[in-house]
Amino acid sequence: NKYRLQETVENGDFTGIYIFHNKTKDMYYVGQSTRVVGRVMQHLAGHGNGDVYADYKYGDEFEINLVSLRESGYDSLDALERDAIKTYNAYAKGYNRTRGNRN
């Protein structure tokens, strides 16, 4: 339900993952949080991955996508994050320094 998801996003308190896509360099960063919107805002204020912030601060074009765990079909936040890191090649050719938080 798009309306429910939009309402949840505006409240900034849903559990899920966020995907930063540096469109200038075609690089990805995937993270997870129990408060996704708030965590994304922290990244944009310089309290997250330093390489993402540096590229954002110096003008690279970014697109940010948010994925709710509830809407994803996954039972585990860690599995959702791990699969997204793999899908976007965010570890080998992106900003992620690990393949995910837990095994």
Side-chain angles (χ1 to χ4, degrees):
N1 182 325
K2 282 188 173 184
Y3 175 76
R4 187 177 72 228
L5 182 59
Q6 180 64 34
E7 180 180 292
T8 304
V9 168
E10 287 172 1
N11 291 336
D13 62 357
F14 73 93
T15 297
I17 64 168
Y18 49 93
I19 304 160
F20 283 81
H21 177 209
N22 180 330
K23 294 175 80 172
T24 305
K25 295 181 177 176
D26 196 26
M27 292 174 62
Y28 288 87
Y29 177 76
V30 178
Q32 65 167 277
S33 179
T34 56
R35 292 183 47 91
V36 168
V37 173
R39 184 65 185 122
V40 166
M41 297 308 291
Q42 288 177 337
H43 273 281
L44 297 178
H47 303 289
N49 182 290
D51 295 328
V52 170
Y53 180 67
D55 287 344
Y56 170 74
K57 180 179 173 183
Y58 291 109
D60 285 359
E61 182 183 355
F62 277 84
E63 177 178 276
I64 304 167
N65 290 294
L66 311 178
V67 179
S68 166
L69 176 62
R70 180 180 300 166
E71 305 290 327
S72 72
Y74 281 80
D75 292 327
S76 161
L77 189 56
D78 292 330
L80 173 59
E81 180 192 41
R82 228 181 359 261
D83 282 358
I85 289 170
K86 184 177 180 181
T87 297
Y88 293 105
N89 208 11
Y91 174 72
K93 295 186 178 180
Y95 295 102
N96 284 82
R97 295 185 183 119
T98 68
R99 290 183 170 88
N101 277 332
R102 296 175 193 91
N103 292 330

